[in-house]
Amino acid sequence: MTSKLERLRSNLQEYAAAMDRIYANFPGKYSSTQKLIVELGIGFDRKIKSSYIGEPRECHKNAFDVLMEYPKPELYYCEGFATYAEAIMPVYHAWLVNERGEIIDPTWHKQASFIEPAYIGVAFEREFVQIVAVETGIYGILENDRFRDFQIKRLGLAPEDLCPQFHPR
């Protein structure tokens, strides 16, 4: 694990611990998205150039659109937190990874974002991504959990919702 990934994970652990204290009486499994990512998240730090170029500040839509437009079985939709050398702080983000765990980010495609990339997140099964999008009418899964009665934060993710290549069952 690179030092950038270690720092990102440590930052998320601190934030998750603070949220646990604030929401000590939360009646579910995860008091925050950070806690879920700390527990289930996989670190990715190999970013490759891609021809997929999306709109700035539309990471969930960009990753979803690429996933649906190019239904290659070797692309996986991820959500979590990411940063790179010039970034001031970690950002909640969505991206894709290929079967080798290489980051394909249609939103952060400028050259600076390739310097010390650090992404920690969960890789979802394509079918789950589609189901949530249809149910909510919104791009994004974890931060839009409120539109599904906080189902993920209350109960967690089912093993079949996660990509087994990165999250063994």
Side-chain angles (χ1 to χ4, degrees), residues 25-99:
N25 296 324
F26 180 74
K29 188 166 183 169
Y30 302 108
S31 60
S32 66
T33 301
Q34 288 83 352
K35 183 171 182 173
L36 183 146
I37 296 301
V38 164
E39 189 171 307
L40 299 177
I42 304 297
F44 301 97
D45 62 359
R46 291 185 324 259
K47 186 171 178 180
I48 60 172
K49 290 197 184 278
S50 168
S51 59
Y52 311 127
I53 308 249
E55 295 297 318
R57 301 185 185 274
E58 295 289 335
C59 63
H60 298 92
K61 180 184 183 312
N62 294 337
F64 181 87
D65 286 351
V66 171
L67 187 71
M68 295 303 123
E69 187 175 336
Y70 303 97
K72 297 177 181 178
E74 68 274 2
L75 287 180
Y76 307 99
Y77 176 91
C78 297
E79 285 187 25
F81 292 85
T83 188
Y84 55 91
E86 288 185 359
I88 296 169
M89 61 190 313
V91 173
Y92 184 72
H93 197 51
W95 65 93
L96 301 159
V97 294
N98 62 21
E99 71 279 358

